[in-house]
Amino acid sequence: MEGGYGNRGSSFSQSRRGRGRGRGQRFPSNQSKVSSFAERGTPSSSSANRASASVISNTQEDDAQPSSNFVGTCPYMCPERERIQREKLRDLAIFERLHGNPGKSSPALAVKKFCRTISTKYVQASDMRPITVLEDTLNYLLSLLESKEHLFEVVHDFVFDRTRSIRQDITMQNIVNKKAIYMYEGMVKFHVVSHYKLWCSMSDPNTASLHHLNMEQLTKTLASLFNLYEANQNSNHVHENEAEFHSLYVLLHLGSYSQPMGEPLSLWFQRVSTPVLKSKEMCFARRILRSFRLGNYKDFFCTAAAQASYLQFCIMMPYINEVRVLALSCINFGGYKLHPYPLLDLSKLLFIKVWINNCI
């Protein structure tokens, strides 16, 4: 599409950045609150500790208890004793079964499950994966999203649970470095793409439930990512993808009563650093939000077609038809009834053919 979504792909892989290691390329959640972004400066141990505490507060339902001295030693995607136990219980996901056997897996297939209540008091170092293993595990999980053998809902359910386990391991080991940032960015991308793909199947009640749960984890993961940005922030320095991920949070407010993290957007803006606030990604998101709330459908579509990235599009898509309905209502009310609006002109105005051909 001219001036539109030329850089946006139709699959998850096209949103990946150029960082690779291990099994594949490495990617450069509704009521949690973002910690203060004020007084950013050179990272220190105290700022890292504050950010780690903030990450914990954003995942309280996981009940993960951090330990600054805890370092995992598990060399596999799933600890051996968990894999053996789940083999005995035949508790293996379809992606973990060796040759389809529900009672047999392998270190190359089994991935550690999420555990809601866990503490370092009862966990051995061999049960926790170090950052390098977590990176390879995340790359493996994200590669499954390209699978054509299984429905997306099936793949999503598996990756959804196992990425929560990755976040839990990161939290328990107090990992707040740049590698953690890249991993959280990859997990946010997973939830953003899932937000769009699950929305496309919302007619199924089960999918609607998955969509709601995915939104919860999206906002929580975003909140933790913002805290990691803060812990690794240098004065007047913006991480490569920081502006785009902040813009995603703004676009989550497109709904009529949306407050994904439980606070007014105006207060959140006060904590965002000036370089991020002035970035083209944030200017785009704020313009889209303003056009949406003012009912300026022409500016909404023109701006979206010219500037939206694939991830931004995934957030916006559930609201595009709402804007189209508004546009049709305005045209019908203000148009001259004896001279019907040409269908071709209408489709161009609403970007219907363009969006269908290039995005969906």
Side-chain angles (χ1 to χ4, degrees), residues 25 44-45 63 66 75 139 200 203 251-252 259 267 309 311 340 353:
Q25 289 183 318
S44 63
S45 59
D63 290 333
N139 289 329
C200 292
S203 56
L251 293 175
L252 286 174
Q259 285 190 7
L267 295 179
S309 68
L311 293 178
K353 289 186 177 180

Side-chain angles (χ1 to χ4, degrees), residues 84-131:
I84 294 174
Q85 180 183 28
R86 290 208 281 127
E87 285 178 336
K88 293 179 180 179
L89 297 174
R90 303 174 75 85
D91 181 23
L92 298 172
I94 190 172
F95 303 98
E96 300 176 305
R97 299 172 184 175
L98 185 63
H99 307 305
N101 186 345
K104 188 67 176 177
S105 185
S106 72
L109 295 175
V111 184
K112 184 179 179 180
K113 289 184 69 174
F114 168 73
C115 180
R116 182 170 295 278
T117 303
I118 191 170
S119 171
T120 53
K121 294 180 181 179
Y122 310 105
V123 175
Q124 301 175 8
S126 59
D127 294 325
M128 202 64 56
R129 298 161 293 180
I131 186 66

Side-chain angles (χ1 to χ4, degrees), residues 3 95 103 122 131 137 156 225 236 241 260 263 277 309 329-330 344:
F95 303 98
Y122 310 105
I131 186 66
T137 303
H156 172 270
L225 175 60
N236 298 320
N241 303 311
E263 66 175 345
L277 206 56
S309 68
S329 177
C330 292
L344 180 60

Side-chain angles (χ1 to χ4, degrees), residues 176-328:
V176 293
N177 55 26
K178 291 186 178 181
K179 288 186 177 181
I181 288 180
Y182 299 145
M183 294 183 67
Y184 265 87
E185 287 179 345
M187 289 183 279
V188 169
K189 288 179 180 181
F190 158 67
H191 286 297
V192 168
V193 175
S194 296
H195 176 76
Y196 165 56
K197 291 191 174 183
L198 292 174
W199 173 81
C200 292
S201 306
M202 284 283 281
S203 56
D204 184 348
N206 294 328
T207 304
S209 176
L210 290 177
H211 186 268
H212 174 74
L213 294 174
N214 181 75
M215 174 62 80
E216 286 186 343
Q217 295 307 313
L218 169 58
T219 54
K220 289 182 178 181
T221 310
L222 263 180
S224 296
L225 175 60
F226 294 159
N227 292 323
L228 289 172
Y229 283 142
E230 179 184 10
N232 293 271
Q233 191 72 39
N234 293 321
S235 57
N236 298 320
H237 170 74
V238 177
H239 288 274
E240 180 182 357
N241 303 311
E242 185 174 354
E244 181 178 16
F245 282 97
H246 276 79
S247 75
L248 299 180
Y249 174 72
V250 175
L251 293 175
L252 286 174
H253 289 74
L254 282 174
S256 301
Y257 303 100
S258 294
Q259 285 190 7
M261 295 184 187
E263 66 175 345
L265 192 58
S266 57
L267 295 179
W268 182 80
F269 278 133
Q270 296 176 17
R271 296 196 296 271
V272 179
S273 66
T274 300
V276 171
L277 206 56
K278 292 184 177 181
S279 65
K280 63 181 180 64
E281 292 87 354
M282 282 290 282
C283 289
F284 162 80
R286 297 177 73 177
R287 182 172 178 175
I288 286 292
L289 184 60
R290 181 169 57 250
S291 298
F292 180 87
R293 291 181 173 178
L294 293 177
N296 189 345
Y297 58 87
K298 184 173 183 179
D299 185 68
F300 179 93
F301 286 122
C302 290
T303 303
Q307 301 180 33
S309 68
Y310 177 61
L311 293 178
Q312 290 169 334
F313 161 78
C314 288
I315 296 293
M316 294 169 54
M317 190 58 198
Y319 307 101
I320 287 177
N321 284 339
E322 186 176 339
V323 179
R324 285 175 175 156
V325 170
L326 172 65
L328 289 173

Side-chain angles (χ1 to χ4, degrees), residues 42-53 68 174 176 231-232:
T42 303
S44 63
S45 59
S46 60
S47 65
N49 290 336
R50 288 196 304 270
S52 178
S68 58
N174 271 349
V176 293
N232 293 271

